[in-house]
C-alpha cells in the first residue's frame, strides 16, 4: 500500500513539473472582439469565404482562404459543424 502511495505522489509531482516547463509563462492574445450575434448567424456569415476579409484584423493579400496576422499564416481548410478547420 505504501509503495502505491509513493508511486502516485511521484506521478503527481512529475505532472506538476512537466506542466511548469511545457506551458509558457505568458500567453499572448493579439486581439479579442466581442460580437453581439448568435452562433448560427456568425457561422453562416463566415461560411462564405469572401466575408472573412471583412472582419480579419489586417488587410489580406488577395489570396482567398489565406490570412496573416502576428507573423502567422492562417489557412481555412474546410468547414465543420459550427467550426472551421484552420491550419496555422
Amino acid at each position: 500500500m505504501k509503495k502505491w502511495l509513493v508511486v502516485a505522489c511521484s506521478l503527481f509531482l512529475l505532472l506538476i513539473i512537466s506542466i511548469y516547463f511545457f506551458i509558457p509563462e505568458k500567453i499572448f492574445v493579439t486581439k479579442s472582439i466581442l460580437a453581439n450575434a448568435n452562433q448560427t448567424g456568425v457561422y453562416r456569415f463566415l461560411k462564405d469565404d469572401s466575408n472573412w476579409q471583412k472582419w480579419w484584423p489586417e488587410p489580406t493579400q488577395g489570396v482567398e482562404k489565406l490570412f496573416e496576422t502576428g507573423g502567422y499564416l492562417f489557412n481555412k481548410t474546410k468547414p465543420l459543424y459550427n467550426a472551421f478547420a484552420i491550419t496555422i
Side-chain angles (χ1 to χ4, degrees), residues 30-67:
T30 57
K31 192 171 187 179
S32 176
I33 300 171
L34 179 62
N36 190 13
N38 63 18
Q39 179 178 353
T40 308
V42 171
Y43 181 75
R44 203 171 48 237
F45 177 81
L46 292 178
K47 193 166 53 171
D48 184 13
D49 293 334
S50 64
N51 288 335
W52 279 65
Q53 295 177 356
K54 295 177 185 175
W55 70 270
W56 195 256
E58 295 180 12
T60 59
Q61 303 298 327
V63 179
E64 196 170 302
K65 297 184 181 182
L66 187 63
F67 302 95

